[in-house]
Amino acid sequence: YCEGIYMLNTQKYGAKLRKLVNAALKSKCTRYECPKCGKLKVVRKAYALWKCKSCESLFAGGAYSFATDSGNVVRRTVAEYES
C-alpha cells in the first residue's frame, strides 16, 4: 500500500496542498526506529498507533508521524525533571 503512492493526485486544489498531502503520506509510510529495541521496524497500524514488527511493542504517536513536536517537548521536560 505504501509503495510509490507519494505522487498521487489526491489533492487537486493547488500545488501547496498537494505537497502537504504527499509529505503526510510519505511520513505515514516511513519506517521509524523503535525506542525499545533500536531497530527500524516501527510502522503505522491505525490512527496514531504505531507498532514495532520486531519486539511487538505498541506506541501512541502522531496521526501521520511517529513523534510529534508537542510529544518531543513533553518527553524532554519529563527527562529534565527525572534527572
Side-chain angles (χ1 to χ4, degrees):
Y1 172 72
C2 290
E3 302 288 329
I5 63 169
Y6 309 131
M7 295 309 292
L8 288 177
N9 289 326
T10 56
Q11 184 61 256
K12 57 183 179 180
Y13 298 107
K16 185 175 181 178
L17 291 176
R18 259 196 322 274
K19 289 176 186 178
L20 287 172
V21 168
N22 287 333
L25 289 175
K26 186 175 181 181
S27 67
K28 180 175 96 170
C29 294
T30 303
R31 290 180 181 236
Y32 293 94
E33 183 179 347
C34 179
K36 292 195 175 185
C37 66
K39 297 180 182 177
L40 276 174
K41 293 283 189 172
V42 176
V43 293
R44 182 177 188 256
K45 283 297 175 191
Y47 182 80
L49 287 179
W50 300 82
K51 187 173 184 180
C52 178
K53 288 187 170 185
S54 177
C55 64
E56 300 292 324
S57 297
L58 192 65
F59 304 100
Y64 295 108
S65 63
F66 182 58
T68 60
D69 293 336
S70 59
N72 291 335
V73 170
V74 169
R75 199 171 296 116
R76 274 196 312 258
T77 53
V78 167
E80 181 180 315
Y81 283 122
E82 285 179 349
S83 62

